[in-house]
Amino acid sequence: MLSENDTGSSLSTASTKENRDGLSNCICVDDFEALATTKLDRNSCGYYNSGATSQQTLLENCTAFKSWRFRPMVLRDVSSVDPSTEILGRKISFPVCIAPTAMNKMASRKGEIDSANAACSLNSGFTLSSWATSSIEDIAENVPSVLRWFQLYVYKDRVLTKELVKRAENCNFKAIVVTVDTPVLGRRYQDVRNKFSLPENLVLKNFEQQNKLGFSDGVRSSGDSGLAEYVASLIDPSLNWDDIEWLKSMTTLPIIVKGILTAEMAAEAVNHQVDGILVSNHGARQLDGVLPTINALPEIVKAVRGRCEVYLDGGIRNGGDIAKAIALGAKAVFIGRPVLWGLACGGEFGVKKVLEILRDEFILTMKLLGVTSVRELQSTPNLVVHETNILSKL
Ligand SMILES: Cc1cc2nc3c(=O)[nH]c(=O)nc-3n(C[C@H](O)[C@H](O)[C@H](O)COP(=O)(O)O)c2cc1C
């Protein structure tokens, strides 16, 4: 929850003078992180910002981008560039979408509705978490024209899991993003220390109708992280590749697997005819010590050989990071924490500003690289190389 002013969400109420003043000093995503950290209380800040165990991968998700170097082209007439692209056949105005993050209403009053509205206004895409504090129906009713995907956690209760998919279909969500890296919750020390709980006034809205004990209001600590306890009791740790077949058999929506980090698992996903792979380590919140996603991307792109779309999330903090991921084969990237920081700083307005900053920095990077379209960025060889490859040739 916010410790200071409720940032609200409509553009008019979002910004008390104080908030706007803070926001106007935010010229990059790192500024949003710093400001958000002053606005969020300990429970929410710890939950949003932290990673698993030693947080090695949390740091590396960001720093690894720095070892990938640009090899720019010059004298290329970049007076006009087009940053738009397509994901699963739908046009987006630049290759950045919103990753699923749980419990957005701890950051702003309207939470996920603010995030979806911001995505909508910039013609980007929005992914709703299973553990959102706004429901599938809330998004469809309040932000009907946003391009929306639904992130699915597979519950031990398969009837309930199937109902979630059907509700997403009925509400015109365009894909199911099944998270495959969470058979149990990663150990996040800050949440354990804080005995992380969802504040009493909030619930996991997708389960409110279910009226089953603990599904919507079960993120309450009895001594450990409340979310770890929730996952241990309700999420299915037996999830396996047969369940991907089960999902495919019950829905006509495209299936994207989120949480792939190796060529072997990517090949398996392609064998199961998924429509997309989201290269993700869950924002470094699950298995600490895995590769930063940007370093995992090349082997996955190579293994997939264009047979499904490949996306990336984790550590995207500026336009250069976006360009590097696209040049290395991602069709689009997704952002998690930057959206939460935008929400905490200024609700919908804050998220919109985060997305605008990333879009503008991406366009700037395209120009400085000498490319005029996303396709050119994707198809020009060796625009981005790992620095060890440059040094070894000297
Ligand atoms: C606070 C928080 C909550 C998250 N909740 C979910 C979730 O409900 N489902 C999911 O698949 N991933 C979840 N993620 C992971 C994100 O979808 C994404 O993989 C990650 O945030 C990307 O890294 P970034 O935060 O560095 O952009 C969450 C991440 C954060 C930071």
Side-chain angles (χ1 to χ4, degrees), residues 1-9 13-14 19 35-45 48 103-111 114 199 201-202 340-347:
M1 300 293 281
L2 298 174
S3 55
E4 295 177 5
N5 305 317
D6 181 345
T7 55
S9 61
T13 58
N19 280 333
L35 185 62
T37 303
T38 67
K39 288 179 179 286
L40 291 162
D41 66 21
R42 191 182 162 89
N43 184 61
S44 315
C45 195
Y48 287 162
M103 307 176 217
N104 284 190
K105 284 188 183 172
M106 295 194 307
S108 83
R109 194 164 46 80
K110 289 195 186 169
D114 282 341
N201 61 325
L202 297 177
L340 298 168
W341 297 328
L343 274 183
C345 293

Side-chain angles (χ1 to χ4, degrees), residues 200-258:
E200 293 287 339
N201 61 325
L202 297 177
V203 292
L204 302 187
K205 270 280 206 158
N206 283 320
F207 307 98
E208 214 179 25
Q209 303 163 344
Q210 253 75 27
N211 215 7
K212 288 186 186 169
L213 210 59
F215 278 82
S216 65
D217 62 353
V219 186
R220 312 273 185 247
S221 170
S222 68
D224 200 317
S225 152
L227 191 59
E229 294 173 10
Y230 181 90
V231 171
S233 73
L234 297 175
I235 299 301
D236 192 350
S238 77
L239 191 69
N240 63 72
W241 290 104
D242 292 342
D243 297 310
I244 301 298
E245 299 292 338
W246 173 68
L247 275 177
K248 281 168 58 69
S249 73
M250 75 152 92
T251 181
T252 52
L253 288 178
I255 300 290
I256 293 157
V257 285
K258 173 176 186 283

Side-chain angles (χ1 to χ4, degrees), residues 44 46-50 58 61-62 98-104 106 128-132 151-153 177-182 188 227 258 278-285 293 312-317 334-341:
S44 315
Y47 176 64
Y48 287 162
N49 286 1
S50 65
L58 181 69
N61 263 356
C62 293
I98 294 186
T101 54
M103 307 176 217
N104 284 190
M106 295 194 307
L128 183 73
S129 165
S130 283
W131 298 337
Q151 177 268 327
L152 182 74
Y153 279 121
V177 180
V178 56
T179 298
V180 296
D181 60 12
T182 312
R188 306 167 190 170
L227 191 59
K258 173 176 186 283
L278 177 43
V279 178
S280 173
N281 52 34
H282 213 114
R285 295 158 75 78
T293 50
L312 171 137
D313 74 24
I316 297 280
R317 300 292 180 264
F334 287 71
I335 53 170
R337 292 181 186 83
V339 171
L340 298 168
W341 297 328

Side-chain angles (χ1 to χ4, degrees), residues 78-93:
V78 290
S79 46
S80 164
V81 304
D82 176 7
S84 69
T85 190
E86 282 190 1
I87 46 171
L88 297 179
R90 290 281 298 251
K91 188 169 176 180
I92 49 175
S93 62

Side-chain angles (χ1 to χ4, degrees), residues 70-74 323 364-371 377 383:
F70 291 120
R71 297 179 66 254
M73 302 181 289
V74 294
L364 181 76
T365 308
M366 287 177 74
K367 289 183 176 175
L368 293 173
L369 264 178
V371 296
L377 178 57
L383 269 185

